[in-house]
Amino acid sequence: MAGFLSGTLILFLANLFNRFLAFFYQIVVIRLVGAEGIGLLNMVYPFYCLFLVFSTAGIPVAVSRLVAYYGAISPTVENYILRLALKTVFLLSLFFTFLLFVLSPIIKDHFLANPAALPSLYVLALSIIIVAVSSVFRGYFQGRQNMIPSAVGQTVEQIVRIAVGVTTSLFFKHNLGAASAGLAAGVTAGETAGLLVCLLFFYFQRSSLTTTPPTALAPQIKQEMFTLAWPLTLDRVVSNLLYTVDAAIIPARLLASGMTVTRSTEIFGQLNGIAIPLIFFPTTVTTALATAIIPALSHAQSVSPTVVRYRSEESLRLTLLVAFPAMAIFALFPYQITGLLFHCPEAGTLLQILALGGFFLYLDHTAAAILQGLGRPLIPLLTMVVSSAVKIGLLYYLTSWPGWNVKGIAWAINAEFLLESLLNLIFVARCCGLTLSVHSTLLKPAAATAVMTLGAAACHYLLALTGTVPPWLQLLAALAVAVLLYTWLLFWWKIVPPSLFTDLLEPLKRLFPGK
């Protein structure tokens, strides 16, 4: 369990650091090339992501699970899995890179509003093979429950991307097409640096790709790899399609309610540019947890069903420890957060309602990862389709209702998060036989969150009464009180055991674990 927790911590810290880097990078780039320069890159980025999805085909996650499972049974199989995955993604990415170059004139003529974006697509296409190979290596390390290469690789990748992106933007700032291509070059350079980091870790691990294929297990491994991979690929494709449907329905139904084009665009921007990114910010934790739990559960399956159940329960407990306070903070200070960060307090209406949905979103991330770790990737795909269908129906009707509009959008999204999380949790319970204690898992964290909320609200109210403390300091002080009070209660009420820090730090003593 200690390795699982330390892996989560490593990935969380890397994700958090990289998100802050990306946030400031976005600010700098917008100042250098403006919204139009960013817009050129964003025009082609969805095409790049789509071809990248097909190039990786869900294989990195499959590698993570298979290495964890078969590594526990027979460590000699690990490199065979890696070699098989590398051959597969290399051939796939080579084909889809070639296909993207072939289709680029059609994309330019029929899908790009500005032809100046085409050079950016060419530069991004060069990174597809690099990203595909790098993702397989990361899946391999994650399968061995060594999250350090992934964390270091992502951080180096982000730093190189920023350095190259800013440098090229400065050099070509008077030519937006070239500047946008420079930003794309930053992506390619960053991905190359990330791959080099993975290769260095692999070299120092003294691993080799010349392992003799395990003839007895080879057919089974091949079948399992592709059985796991195709639902993950379909999941990402469907996600992109559903996002496109949302982008079409929401503005259209707002217009049907009587809003102007400008106003409907503004509301859509508040949703996708402010409220949704804020709600997804706590997924920095759940994403790290999801990445670590997949190989941890796969390894546990080769050990004991009891270990599977224990790790599943612990991951859900950790998720709830994040979900409760996140929901409370977003519900308590929605207008202050959106006003101070984005100068758009109006978006607080969406954020406050979505705070409830966020609670279920975080649970869903973990539940879906548990199912993937158990070798059931098709279940999260089906639950996503069902819950998204419900959301689309609600969006169609609620968004155009007088008086609902904005609130209707938020409640439709909440319904999706709620339904999807409940369905996935039901399947997790059936697969693992969960025995979570309501008192320690739900009631204690909820009570700690309630006390935290009262303390933060009182702090903010008293500072506001003085009339001398600026709003940003009021919010910062209230959040500080919330964090300190909640953390203290977690340990005082023994919601989190004191041994947690020992479990977290013990595996970090070995930076390059050997076999």
Side-chain angles (χ1 to χ4, degrees):
M1 188 64 190
F4 161 59
L5 289 176
S6 66
T8 302
L9 176 64
I10 291 167
L11 290 173
F12 163 67
L13 294 176
N15 289 345
L16 187 64
F17 179 70
N18 290 333
R19 285 204 181 191
F20 278 115
L21 282 181
F23 179 73
F24 289 110
Y25 176 55
Q26 190 79 357
I27 293 174
V28 172
V29 167
I30 287 176
R31 291 184 178 181
L32 288 175
V33 302
E36 186 180 354
I38 291 291
L40 290 175
L41 181 62
N42 287 339
M43 281 183 190
V44 298
Y45 210 78
F47 297 99
Y48 163 72
C49 290
L50 182 62
F51 278 78
L52 189 58
V53 165
F54 286 116
S55 297
T56 55
I59 289 176
V61 177
V63 168
S64 174
R65 171 172 158 68
L66 292 174
V67 166
Y69 183 80
Y70 286 102
I73 297 174
S74 174
T76 58
V77 183
E78 291 179 354
N79 285 350
Y80 171 72
I81 296 171
L82 175 61
R83 191 169 70 253
L84 174 63
L86 286 174
K87 288 179 180 177
T88 304
V89 299
F90 180 78
L91 293 175
L92 283 173
S93 58
L94 189 64
F95 170 74
F96 282 106
T97 299
F98 174 75
L99 185 62
L100 182 55
F101 275 103
V102 170
L103 295 178
S104 58
I106 298 174
I107 294 173
K108 182 193 72 170
D109 294 337
H110 295 89
F111 298 100
L112 298 184
N114 190 335
L118 188 60
S120 299
L121 182 61
Y122 288 143
V123 177
L124 286 173
L126 297 175
S127 72
I128 289 179
I129 296 176
I130 298 168
V131 177
V133 172
S134 178
S135 62
V136 169
F137 274 106
R138 288 176 183 174
Y140 166 77
F141 285 116
Q142 289 163 9
R144 303 184 80 227
Q145 300 192 56
N146 179 9
M147 305 300 166
I148 294 176
S150 294
V152 175
Q154 290 170 8
T155 303
V156 171
E157 171 193 320
Q158 188 76 292
I159 292 172
V160 172
R161 176 188 178 186
I162 291 172
V164 174
V166 170
T167 302
T168 52
S169 296
L170 281 170
F171 191 77
F172 296 112
K173 63 182 179 180
H174 298 299
N175 183 339
L176 290 183
S180 176
L183 296 177
V187 174
T188 302
E191 296 293 350
T192 303
L195 175 58
L196 290 176
V197 169
C198 288
L199 291 174
L200 283 173
F201 273 95
F202 189 77
Y203 171 77
F204 285 116
Q205 204 173 246
R206 294 293 188 267
S207 295
S208 170
L209 292 179
T210 59
T211 305
T212 303
T215 54
L217 292 174
Q220 181 179 343
I221 290 173
K222 290 178 181 178
Q223 180 182 357
E224 287 189 34
M225 178 176 291
F226 298 113
T227 300
L228 289 168
W230 77 261
L232 296 170
T233 304
L234 191 57
D235 183 284
R236 294 177 184 178
V237 173
V238 171
S239 296
N240 287 335
L241 292 175
L242 290 172
Y243 176 78
T244 304
V245 171
D246 286 352
I249 286 180
I250 293 175
R253 298 308 292 166
L254 288 173
L255 287 173
S257 71
M259 284 190 183
T260 63
V261 173
T262 301
R263 179 60 178 161
S264 63
T265 304
E266 185 180 323
I267 295 296
F268 189 68
Q270 290 178 15
L271 175 68
N272 284 310
I274 299 177
I276 291 295
L278 285 170
I279 286 295
F280 269 79
F281 187 79
T283 60
T284 304
V285 178
T286 58
T287 299
L289 187 61
T291 303
I293 194 63
I294 291 175
L297 284 178
S298 184
H299 178 272
Q301 281 185 301
S302 65
V303 179
S304 165
T306 303
V307 179
V308 171
R309 184 176 68 251
Y310 175 71
R311 287 184 172 175
S312 300
E313 291 174 352
E314 285 301 297
S315 62
L316 289 172
R317 286 193 187 99
L318 289 173
T319 303
L320 286 168
L321 293 183
V322 175
F324 273 116
M327 175 180 64
I329 291 299
F330 288 138
L332 185 62
F333 301 120
Y335 302 100
Q336 294 88 342
I337 292 173
T338 55
L340 290 172
L341 290 181
F342 298 96
H343 301 289
C344 185
E346 185 185 6
T349 301
L350 283 165
L351 180 62
Q352 190 169 49
I353 300 173
L354 287 172
L356 176 62
F359 178 86
F360 296 102
L361 168 69
Y362 312 139
L363 279 175
D364 180 56
H365 270 203
T366 302
I370 291 173
L371 290 169
Q372 290 173 1
L374 295 174
R376 307 289 184 87
L378 191 58
I379 294 175
L381 170 62
L382 295 176
T383 58
M384 178 185 67
V385 171
V386 171
S387 58
S388 295
V390 172
K391 178 191 69 174
I392 290 170
L394 290 174
L395 281 175
Y396 187 84
Y397 288 104
L398 294 181
T399 306
S400 60
W401 280 10
W404 276 76
N405 302 128
V406 178
K407 294 179 181 178
I409 297 171
W411 282 114
I413 295 172
N414 280 353
E416 177 195 20
F417 292 157
L418 170 63
L419 180 59
E420 188 171 352
S421 65
L422 289 179
L423 290 174
N424 282 333
L425 286 170
I426 289 170
F427 282 108
V428 168
R430 288 183 176 180
C431 292
C432 302
L434 298 180
T435 57
L436 289 169
S437 166
V438 174
H439 180 260
S440 60
T441 305
L442 290 174
L443 296 183
K444 276 190 172 182
T449 301
V451 175
M452 175 205 79
T453 304
L454 291 173
C459 173
H460 189 272
Y461 177 75
L462 292 174
L463 290 177
L465 278 181
T466 64
T468 57
V469 181
W472 67 268
L473 189 55
Q474 295 173 22
L475 179 61
L476 190 63
L479 293 178
V481 168
V483 170
L484 293 173
L485 191 55
Y486 185 70
T487 304
W488 175 63
L489 288 172
L490 288 182
F491 287 97
W492 186 41
W493 290 351
K494 297 181 180 179
I495 301 171
V496 172
S499 61
L500 177 66
F501 290 119
T502 303
D503 290 341
L504 286 172
L505 298 176
E506 179 62 28
L508 301 182
K509 294 177 181 178
R510 298 175 299 167
L511 184 60
F512 298 99
K515 292 193 177 216

